[in-house]
Amino acid sequence: MPFLLSQRASRRLSCLASFLFIVCFYALYHEHGINDRTYLSNVPSDCPHLPGLEHILVVLKTGVTEAQDKLPVHRNTTLRCIPNYIVWSDYEEEVAGIPVHDVLFNESQSLHSLPEFDLYTRVRTQGRESLTSTDLTDAASTPFGKPDNPGWVLDKWKFLPMIEHTFRRHSSAKWYVFMEADTYIVWPSLLAWLDKFDHTRPYYMGNQMQTSDVIFAHGGSGFVISRPAMERAVDLRAQKRDYWDNMTKNNWAGDCVLGLLLREAGIALEWSWPMLQLAPPKELDHFSPNYGRSPWCYPPLSFHHLRPEEIEELWSLDRRWTHKTSHLLYRDVFWQLAWPRMSENPVDDWDNLAGEERLIVSNIEQCREECKNDSECLQYSLREGDNMCRVGHGARLGEKKTGFKSAWLLDRINATAEKSGTCTDPEWIS
């Protein structure tokens, strides 16, 4: 005789089953706030309140050859106050307590068999112990990237799967902010900037680069895609997956392929330099214009090619500025991080990136005179191997480098800064 439940018991059992399904679904997809509802409980209580942050999903891309060196610093800096983020890589692991997800797991077997996937398939089957010195050695950059670096060669294949898997996991964010493991984002300024745009429209925003006829957002500078643009890109790739796989195979830069995908989806890039920046502060000329804009009065939203200690330095400056009523500007980054380290007296073993080679000199004093005789010169350096004097019309800090001596003309730099303005109001790209 079959066992029959009362109507009340049947309803209770149905409710219990629904509850268990929801709990299991939540457990499956909830990772550091990565779910389809606002989640803030992981954010430390001393984090500043930044309206709009709960509507952003931060997507960090890294790789097995760099993650253990570059990712840990972000736990207590860039990602510390972020409620919703996910980290994609070419290897599933946990680094400094941060879950790192394999973004290539669902790619076809035919792609996995390509030589460019050798690193991926080896580490996936044999673990980190299979990494070689070649894998872990950073190759020299060329005009076409780092073709001798296995991790760099594999990296281009992550961009389109990253877009797809991110959107499949979390489709309700207003904005998707993409960054790399050597990128720093200034969150208060980024949120203020995004508030000037309509998130219901398709937007693709980044530091403009060009390869052939494709204008795209440089990946390491950080880029932003709105939800409607994400949806269009994911749908278009799904319709022509083989086409886009071949496009990636025949291109050397994954961020370029993503730009092409978005272009074919009808979404042009919003040019965002200097707010999204491909260089670290030490390499920047804060005065000189580019693309019709001078950085001085703009808020920087990102910096790239940063060492962990440089990310910590920017985090410290960012936190100090959070308590001010004004946004952090390039002007402020210059005065806080660059100018205090510049010196009238030559600094040994320092390259300030003065880029124009002028003449061979006998000593650094002659190089100084060469700079002073050029009314636009702000800095100079001596390359000791061949005694080449180099001068610069910008004011870059540079970095420690054996075999160089560097100095700056501080009076001229101060005068140039004064002419650049006090920046009563920030300039924004909108």
Side-chain angles (χ1 to χ4, degrees), residues 256-286:
C256 176
V257 178
L258 175 58
L260 185 57
L261 174 69
L262 285 158
R263 187 179 76 176
E264 293 206 10
I267 305 160
L269 176 69
E270 297 284 335
W271 291 27
S272 304
W273 187 93
M275 298 178 70
L276 292 166
Q277 180 63 247
L278 62 78
K282 65 188 179 187
E283 295 180 9
L284 297 181
D285 173 11
H286 295 75

mmCIF file of all heavy atoms in Angstrom, residues 256-286:
data_model
loop_
_atom_site.group_PDB
_atom_site.id
_atom_site.type_symbol
_atom_site.label_atom_id
_atom_site.label_comp_id
_atom_site.label_asym_id
_atom_site.label_seq_id
_atom_site.Cartn_x
_atom_site.Cartn_y
_atom_site.Cartn_z
ATOM 1 N N CYS A 256 43.592 42.269 -27.988
ATOM 2 C CA CYS A 256 43.233 42.732 -29.329
ATOM 3 C C CYS A 256 42.060 41.924 -29.879
ATOM 4 O O CYS A 256 41.130 42.478 -30.480
ATOM 5 C CB CYS A 256 44.445 42.633 -30.256
ATOM 6 S SG CYS A 256 44.107 43.070 -31.976
ATOM 7 N N VAL A 257 42.078 40.601 -29.682
ATOM 8 C CA VAL A 257 40.977 39.749 -30.149
ATOM 9 C C VAL A 257 39.679 40.137 -29.439
ATOM 10 O O VAL A 257 38.612 40.194 -30.061
ATOM 11 C CB VAL A 257 41.301 38.262 -29.921
ATOM 12 C CG1 VAL A 257 40.131 37.386 -30.376
ATOM 13 C CG2 VAL A 257 42.567 37.868 -30.673
ATOM 14 N N LEU A 258 39.755 40.420 -28.144
ATOM 15 C CA LEU A 258 38.570 40.863 -27.416
ATOM 16 C C LEU A 258 38.043 42.170 -27.988
ATOM 17 O O LEU A 258 36.826 42.348 -28.147
ATOM 18 C CB LEU A 258 38.900 41.026 -25.932
ATOM 19 C CG LEU A 258 37.786 41.598 -25.062
ATOM 20 C CD1 LEU A 258 36.528 40.737 -25.129
ATOM 21 C CD2 LEU A 258 38.257 41.758 -23.617
ATOM 22 N N GLY A 259 38.931 43.103 -28.306
ATOM 23 C CA GLY A 259 38.502 44.354 -28.916
ATOM 24 C C GLY A 259 37.817 44.133 -30.256
ATOM 25 O O GLY A 259 36.825 44.796 -30.585
ATOM 26 N N LEU A 260 38.335 43.172 -31.028
ATOM 27 C CA LEU A 260 37.723 42.850 -32.320
ATOM 28 C C LEU A 260 36.344 42.226 -32.122
ATOM 29 O O LEU A 260 35.392 42.538 -32.859
ATOM 30 C CB LEU A 260 38.640 41.901 -33.091
ATOM 31 C CG LEU A 260 38.233 41.542 -34.520
ATOM 32 C CD1 LEU A 260 38.075 42.793 -35.368
ATOM 33 C CD2 LEU A 260 39.248 40.600 -35.141
ATOM 34 N N LEU A 261 36.224 41.350 -31.132
ATOM 35 C CA LEU A 261 34.924 40.737 -30.822
ATOM 36 C C LEU A 261 33.897 41.807 -30.471
ATOM 37 O O LEU A 261 32.762 41.789 -30.964
ATOM 38 C CB LEU A 261 35.089 39.745 -29.670
ATOM 39 C CG LEU A 261 33.813 39.119 -29.104
ATOM 40 C CD1 LEU A 261 33.187 38.164 -30.114
ATOM 41 C CD2 LEU A 261 34.102 38.384 -27.794
ATOM 42 N N LEU A 262 34.278 42.739 -29.608
ATOM 43 C CA LEU A 262 33.352 43.791 -29.207
ATOM 44 C C LEU A 262 33.032 44.726 -30.369
ATOM 45 O O LEU A 262 31.895 45.205 -30.506
ATOM 46 C CB LEU A 262 33.939 44.568 -28.026
ATOM 47 C CG LEU A 262 33.883 43.811 -26.691
ATOM 48 C CD1 LEU A 262 34.909 44.350 -25.702
ATOM 49 C CD2 LEU A 262 32.481 43.891 -26.094
ATOM 50 N N ARG A 263 34.024 44.968 -31.224
ATOM 51 C CA ARG A 263 33.757 45.802 -32.403
ATOM 52 C C ARG A 263 32.730 45.145 -33.301
ATOM 53 O O ARG A 263 31.803 45.804 -33.794
ATOM 54 C CB ARG A 263 35.057 46.064 -33.166
ATOM 55 C CG ARG A 263 34.892 47.065 -34.303
ATOM 56 C CD ARG A 263 36.192 47.320 -35.029
ATOM 57 N NE ARG A 263 36.562 46.221 -35.917
ATOM 58 C CZ ARG A 263 37.627 46.248 -36.728
ATOM 59 N NH1 ARG A 263 38.435 47.309 -36.720
ATOM 60 N NH2 ARG A 263 37.903 45.226 -37.510
ATOM 61 N N GLU A 264 32.871 43.837 -33.511
ATOM 62 C CA GLU A 264 31.910 43.124 -34.365
ATOM 63 C C GLU A 264 30.543 43.015 -33.697
ATOM 64 O O GLU A 264 29.532 42.807 -34.369
ATOM 65 C CB GLU A 264 32.449 41.744 -34.738
ATOM 66 C CG GLU A 264 33.663 41.810 -35.639
ATOM 67 C CD GLU A 264 33.844 40.573 -36.507
ATOM 68 O OE1 GLU A 264 32.921 39.737 -36.558
ATOM 69 O OE2 GLU A 264 34.916 40.453 -37.122
ATOM 70 N N ALA A 265 30.526 43.174 -32.359
ATOM 71 C CA ALA A 265 29.251 43.213 -31.642
ATOM 72 C C ALA A 265 28.642 44.618 -31.652
ATOM 73 O O ALA A 265 27.602 44.842 -31.032
ATOM 74 C CB ALA A 265 29.452 42.738 -30.207
ATOM 75 N N GLY A 266 29.305 45.537 -32.331
ATOM 76 C CA GLY A 266 28.784 46.893 -32.464
ATOM 77 C C GLY A 266 29.162 47.832 -31.349
ATOM 78 O O GLY A 266 28.502 48.863 -31.149
ATOM 79 N N ILE A 267 30.244 47.514 -30.624
ATOM 80 C CA ILE A 267 30.632 48.324 -29.463
ATOM 81 C C ILE A 267 32.040 48.870 -29.671
ATOM 82 O O ILE A 267 33.019 48.107 -29.681
ATOM 83 C CB ILE A 267 30.572 47.489 -28.167
ATOM 84 C CG1 ILE A 267 29.184 46.861 -28.010
ATOM 85 C CG2 ILE A 267 30.912 48.352 -26.963
ATOM 86 C CD1 ILE A 267 29.151 45.692 -27.085
ATOM 87 N N ALA A 268 32.158 50.159 -29.839
ATOM 88 C CA ALA A 268 33.456 50.800 -30.028
ATOM 89 C C ALA A 268 34.099 51.094 -28.673
ATOM 90 O O ALA A 268 33.414 51.243 -27.660
ATOM 91 C CB ALA A 268 33.298 52.096 -30.824
ATOM 92 N N LEU A 269 35.406 51.185 -28.690
ATOM 93 C CA LEU A 269 36.141 51.485 -27.462
ATOM 94 C C LEU A 269 35.991 52.956 -27.080
ATOM 95 O O LEU A 269 36.134 53.849 -27.919
ATOM 96 C CB LEU A 269 37.625 51.157 -27.653
ATOM 97 C CG LEU A 269 38.544 51.514 -26.477
ATOM 98 C CD1 LEU A 269 38.257 50.606 -25.284
ATOM 99 C CD2 LEU A 269 40.013 51.420 -26.885
ATOM 100 N N GLU A 270 35.742 53.206 -25.794
ATOM 101 C CA GLU A 270 35.807 54.558 -25.225
ATOM 102 C C GLU A 270 37.259 54.808 -24.809
ATOM 103 O O GLU A 270 37.766 54.194 -23.872
ATOM 104 C CB GLU A 270 34.893 54.673 -24.005
ATOM 105 C CG GLU A 270 33.419 54.470 -24.292
ATOM 106 C CD GLU A 270 32.788 55.672 -24.949
ATOM 107 O OE1 GLU A 270 33.312 56.791 -24.769
ATOM 108 O OE2 GLU A 270 31.770 55.501 -25.648
ATOM 109 N N TRP A 271 37.938 55.717 -25.509
ATOM 110 C CA TRP A 271 39.354 55.970 -25.237
ATOM 111 C C TRP A 271 39.507 56.573 -23.829
ATOM 112 O O TRP A 271 38.921 57.618 -23.532
ATOM 113 C CB TRP A 271 39.919 56.921 -26.275
ATOM 114 C CG TRP A 271 40.029 56.328 -27.649
ATOM 115 C CD1 TRP A 271 39.267 55.326 -28.178
ATOM 116 C CD2 TRP A 271 40.937 56.702 -28.668
ATOM 117 N NE1 TRP A 271 39.652 55.056 -29.468
ATOM 118 C CE2 TRP A 271 40.683 55.896 -29.793
ATOM 119 C CE3 TRP A 271 41.946 57.652 -28.752
ATOM 120 C CZ2 TRP A 271 41.397 55.996 -30.982
ATOM 121 C CZ3 TRP A 271 42.673 57.772 -29.930
ATOM 122 C CH2 TRP A 271 42.404 56.949 -31.027
ATOM 123 N N SER A 272 40.317 55.947 -23.007
ATOM 124 C CA SER A 272 40.326 56.309 -21.588
ATOM 125 C C SER A 272 41.688 56.697 -21.039
ATOM 126 O O SER A 272 41.854 56.797 -19.818
ATOM 127 C CB SER A 272 39.746 55.144 -20.761
ATOM 128 O OG SER A 272 38.456 54.814 -21.218
ATOM 129 N N TRP A 273 42.686 56.891 -21.897
ATOM 130 C CA TRP A 273 43.959 57.442 -21.416
ATOM 131 C C TRP A 273 43.770 58.922 -21.153
ATOM 132 O O TRP A 273 43.069 59.588 -21.903
ATOM 133 C CB TRP A 273 45.051 57.237 -22.471
ATOM 134 C CG TRP A 273 46.418 57.615 -21.981
ATOM 135 C CD1 TRP A 273 47.335 56.798 -21.416
ATOM 136 C CD2 TRP A 273 47.011 58.929 -22.000
ATOM 137 N NE1 TRP A 273 48.453 57.502 -21.076
ATOM 138 C CE2 TRP A 273 48.282 58.821 -21.417
ATOM 139 C CE3 TRP A 273 46.594 60.186 -22.415
ATOM 140 C CZ2 TRP A 273 49.140 59.912 -21.271
ATOM 141 C CZ3 TRP A 273 47.422 61.274 -22.264
ATOM 142 C CH2 TRP A 273 48.696 61.129 -21.703
ATOM 143 N N PRO A 274 44.347 59.492 -20.102
ATOM 144 C CA PRO A 274 45.350 58.930 -19.195
ATOM 145 C C PRO A 274 44.776 58.300 -17.931
ATOM 146 O O PRO A 274 45.524 57.905 -17.046
ATOM 147 C CB PRO A 274 46.174 60.165 -18.829
ATOM 148 C CG PRO A 274 45.160 61.269 -18.782
ATOM 149 C CD PRO A 274 44.179 60.958 -19.890
ATOM 150 N N MET A 275 43.449 58.215 -17.838
ATOM 151 C CA MET A 275 42.863 57.737 -16.591
ATOM 152 C C MET A 275 43.189 56.263 -16.342
ATOM 153 O O MET A 275 43.448 55.852 -15.214
ATOM 154 C CB MET A 275 41.363 57.998 -16.598
ATOM 155 C CG MET A 275 41.037 59.485 -16.683
ATOM 156 S SD MET A 275 39.268 59.848 -16.757
ATOM 157 C CE MET A 275 38.767 59.404 -15.117
ATOM 158 N N LEU A 276 43.159 55.468 -17.395
ATOM 159 C CA LEU A 276 43.625 54.090 -17.320
ATOM 160 C C LEU A 276 45.021 54.053 -17.928
ATOM 161 O O LEU A 276 45.213 54.416 -19.083
ATOM 162 C CB LEU A 276 42.658 53.151 -18.044
ATOM 163 C CG LEU A 276 41.289 53.016 -17.344
ATOM 164 C CD1 LEU A 276 40.268 52.361 -18.252
ATOM 165 C CD2 LEU A 276 41.425 52.230 -16.048
ATOM 166 N N GLN A 277 45.985 53.608 -17.155
ATOM 167 C CA GLN A 277 47.397 53.855 -17.448
ATOM 168 C C GLN A 277 48.167 52.535 -17.586
ATOM 169 O O GLN A 277 47.991 51.615 -16.796
ATOM 170 C CB GLN A 277 47.986 54.677 -16.300
ATOM 171 C CG GLN A 277 49.443 55.022 -16.425
ATOM 172 C CD GLN A 277 49.723 55.890 -17.632
ATOM 173 O OE1 GLN A 277 50.381 55.444 -18.573
ATOM 174 N NE2 GLN A 277 49.220 57.121 -17.627
ATOM 175 N N LEU A 278 49.057 52.468 -18.590
ATOM 176 C CA LEU A 278 49.795 51.229 -18.822
ATOM 177 C C LEU A 278 51.141 51.179 -18.101
ATOM 178 O O LEU A 278 51.838 50.165 -18.142
ATOM 179 C CB LEU A 278 50.006 50.972 -20.318
ATOM 180 C CG LEU A 278 50.809 51.969 -21.160
ATOM 181 C CD1 LEU A 278 52.298 51.819 -20.973
ATOM 182 C CD2 LEU A 278 50.457 51.803 -22.634
ATOM 183 N N ALA A 279 51.516 52.243 -17.396
ATOM 184 C CA ALA A 279 52.844 52.310 -16.784
ATOM 185 C C ALA A 279 52.724 52.535 -15.277
ATOM 186 O O ALA A 279 51.690 52.969 -14.772
ATOM 187 C CB ALA A 279 53.655 53.434 -17.412
ATOM 188 N N PRO A 280 53.797 52.276 -14.532
ATOM 189 C CA PRO A 280 53.831 52.621 -13.106
ATOM 190 C C PRO A 280 54.173 54.097 -12.920
ATOM 191 O O PRO A 280 54.694 54.740 -13.846
ATOM 192 C CB PRO A 280 54.948 51.721 -12.565
ATOM 193 C CG PRO A 280 55.869 51.539 -13.729
ATOM 194 C CD PRO A 280 55.007 51.548 -14.952
ATOM 195 N N PRO A 281 53.911 54.677 -11.759
ATOM 196 C CA PRO A 281 54.200 56.102 -11.539
ATOM 197 C C PRO A 281 55.646 56.488 -11.822
ATOM 198 O O PRO A 281 55.897 57.600 -12.307
ATOM 199 C CB PRO A 281 53.848 56.302 -10.059
ATOM 200 C CG PRO A 281 52.799 55.282 -9.782
ATOM 201 C CD PRO A 281 53.194 54.085 -10.604
ATOM 202 N N LYS A 282 56.610 55.621 -11.541
ATOM 203 C CA LYS A 282 58.018 55.963 -11.710
ATOM 204 C C LYS A 282 58.389 56.227 -13.163
ATOM 205 O O LYS A 282 59.393 56.879 -13.449
ATOM 206 C CB LYS A 282 58.903 54.847 -11.151
ATOM 207 C CG LYS A 282 58.790 53.534 -11.906
ATOM 208 C CD LYS A 282 59.531 52.414 -11.226
ATOM 209 C CE LYS A 282 59.378 51.096 -11.985
ATOM 210 N NZ LYS A 282 59.958 49.958 -11.244
ATOM 211 N N GLU A 283 57.571 55.746 -14.118
ATOM 212 C CA GLU A 283 57.887 55.921 -15.536
ATOM 213 C C GLU A 283 57.114 57.063 -16.177
ATOM 214 O O GLU A 283 57.337 57.368 -17.345
ATOM 215 C CB GLU A 283 57.579 54.620 -16.295
ATOM 216 C CG GLU A 283 58.455 53.444 -15.894
ATOM 217 C CD GLU A 283 58.124 52.185 -16.668
ATOM 218 O OE1 GLU A 283 57.318 52.265 -17.637
ATOM 219 O OE2 GLU A 283 58.654 51.114 -16.325
ATOM 220 N N LEU A 284 56.233 57.702 -15.433
ATOM 221 C CA LEU A 284 55.320 58.668 -16.038
ATOM 222 C C LEU A 284 55.910 60.058 -16.132
ATOM 223 O O LEU A 284 56.596 60.527 -15.231
ATOM 224 C CB LEU A 284 54.026 58.730 -15.223
ATOM 225 C CG LEU A 284 53.192 57.454 -15.160
ATOM 226 C CD1 LEU A 284 51.942 57.711 -14.339
ATOM 227 C CD2 LEU A 284 52.837 56.964 -16.548
ATOM 228 N N ASP A 285 55.592 60.712 -17.235
ATOM 229 C CA ASP A 285 55.803 62.147 -17.375
ATOM 230 C C ASP A 285 54.450 62.803 -17.140
ATOM 231 O O ASP A 285 53.550 62.715 -17.963
ATOM 232 C CB ASP A 285 56.335 62.476 -18.767
ATOM 233 C CG ASP A 285 56.408 63.962 -19.028
ATOM 234 O OD1 ASP A 285 56.253 64.750 -18.071
ATOM 235 O OD2 ASP A 285 56.610 64.351 -20.193
ATOM 236 N N HIS A 286 54.282 63.428 -15.985
ATOM 237 C CA HIS A 286 52.979 63.951 -15.586
ATOM 238 C C HIS A 286 52.616 65.248 -16.304
ATOM 239 O O HIS A 286 51.489 65.728 -16.170
ATOM 240 C CB HIS A 286 52.950 64.196 -14.073
ATOM 241 C CG HIS A 286 53.068 62.948 -13.265
ATOM 242 N ND1 HIS A 286 54.254 62.266 -13.108
ATOM 243 C CD2 HIS A 286 52.152 62.251 -12.561
ATOM 244 C CE1 HIS A 286 54.069 61.212 -12.342
ATOM 245 N NE2 HIS A 286 52.808 61.186 -11.987
#
